[in-house]
Amino acid sequence: EFLRELGADEVIDYNTTRFEDVVSDLDAVIDCVGGDVLDRSLHVLKPGGIAVTMAARPDSELAESLGVRVALIFVRPDAVQLQGLADMVADGRLVVHVAQTFPLAEAKQAHLNQDTGHVRGKVVLIP
């Protein structure tokens, strides 16, 4: 339901269904997980499709053998980009879901919670 509220048309529960069993012929995949998920994502692309990842170095040889492309991106925000994001938040065009807040003194616990891979939204440290 959360994902539908964010605008998703179709949702696949990865706990019960392997996405590659129900999805195919995609133009693009955006991967934020890496590893096995990224490799499996390459198989759901149509020839010439692209997988963009920010989580792991893609297997270029596998991608080439499947006739698809892969790209690894890095985010290096600068003052102009950050101001643009702040403006979007102020205008209501960008909404950030805060899952949990932690006092700065509990930063270790915040990281442990985030490392579970099951956080819905952002974890915020507060002074």
Side-chain angles (χ1 to χ4, degrees), residues 11-125:
V11 178
I12 301 166
D13 182 350
Y14 65 86
N15 291 306
T16 61
T17 306
R18 290 174 52 91
F19 66 85
E20 63 269 36
D21 293 340
V22 294
V23 176
S24 62
D25 295 322
L26 299 179
D27 293 312
V29 169
I30 299 172
D31 168 63
C32 302
V33 179
D36 180 53
V37 172
L38 175 57
D39 290 346
R40 291 169 31 219
S41 295
L42 299 179
H43 292 274
V44 302
L45 292 167
K46 65 173 63 170
I50 186 167
V52 179
T53 182
M54 60 194 80
R57 186 163 307 284
D59 185 338
S60 298
E61 290 180 17
L62 175 60
E64 186 175 336
S65 73
L66 296 169
V68 299
R69 299 170 292 143
V70 290
L72 175 63
I73 62 166
F74 294 99
V75 177
R76 292 186 184 97
D78 59 28
V80 173
Q81 292 172 337
L82 292 173
Q83 184 59 56
L85 289 172
D87 292 345
M88 291 173 68
V89 169
D91 293 345
R93 293 179 289 143
L94 175 63
V95 177
V96 178
H97 177 79
V98 177
Q100 297 171 294
T101 60
F102 290 87
L104 188 55
E106 295 179 21
K108 179 179 178 181
Q109 185 59 49
H111 279 282
L112 291 172
N113 284 19
Q114 188 166 349
D115 287 347
T116 67
H118 298 283
V119 175
R120 180 187 292 180
K122 296 295 182 183
V123 174
V124 178
L125 296 173

